[in-house]
Amino acid sequence: MSDDLIHWLQTLMRAERAGARVMLDSLRQTDEPIVRQRLERLHEGEAESCRRLRRCLEHLGAKPDGGVGDFHASAMAIEDLELRFDFIGRGQRWVARQITQRLPEIDEPWLREELEAVLRLHQ
């Protein structure tokens, strides 16, 4: 497996970890039931993506680096939760674009399946 693929998966993993942390930190900032439900649903998707990307890295013999992407700090700097949701949506679309662009290069069926599952979580 190429170092480029592992680096790319690490980048996605950091982005997903950042997204999961944004959802948890945002949950601490609201008592609104509908907003909390939305954040919890988003967190579940981010956590599932993290699990799948971790499996991909481990299957390729790489250890996830534990880093968190810049997305977390950028999202948390947005005070208004609705505006933050817009920013989160842009982050979701970024991940979807990354995977969509890279999928044609992925020949391993197990890796394609994992990445397609992550893609579905971001659409």
Side-chain angles (χ1 to χ4, degrees):
M1 250 338 103
S2 75
D3 288 342
D4 177 60
L5 177 61
I6 290 172
H7 174 74
W8 179 73
L9 289 168
Q10 294 280 18
T11 299
L12 287 181
M13 182 73 179
R14 287 189 294 273
E16 293 302 288
R17 195 177 289 121
R21 197 168 289 174
V22 165
M23 303 320 153
L24 290 177
D25 289 347
S26 297
L27 275 165
R28 292 185 189 104
Q29 296 178 337
T30 185
D31 291 326
E32 302 265 339
I34 292 172
V35 174
R36 290 185 63 79
Q37 187 176 41
R38 190 172 170 193
L39 288 165
E40 287 167 355
R41 209 172 38 251
L42 286 166
H43 179 263
E44 287 170 11
E46 297 294 285
E48 177 65 19
S49 292
C50 285
R51 282 189 290 276
R52 289 180 178 277
L53 291 168
R54 173 180 291 280
R55 277 197 301 262
C56 290
L57 286 163
E58 290 172 347
H59 190 88
L60 294 171
K63 182 178 181 204
D65 65 16
V68 176
D70 295 337
F71 181 81
H72 177 265
S74 298
M76 295 312 294
I78 301 169
E79 295 288 327
D80 181 275
L81 280 178
E82 279 308 310
L83 293 176
R84 192 179 301 161
F85 276 122
D86 291 341
F87 187 76
I88 290 166
R90 287 195 301 276
Q92 296 280 310
R93 288 187 296 278
W94 179 85
V95 170
R97 270 193 318 276
Q98 291 291 311
I99 295 172
T100 300
Q101 290 170 356
R102 190 80 186 237
L103 269 178
E105 302 170 22
I106 306 295
D107 295 326
E108 298 83 1
W110 64 269
L111 182 55
R112 283 188 68 84
E113 287 176 22
E114 291 294 329
L115 292 172
E116 287 168 350
V118 173
L119 179 59
R120 282 190 299 277
L121 290 166
H122 288 79
Q123 295 177 325

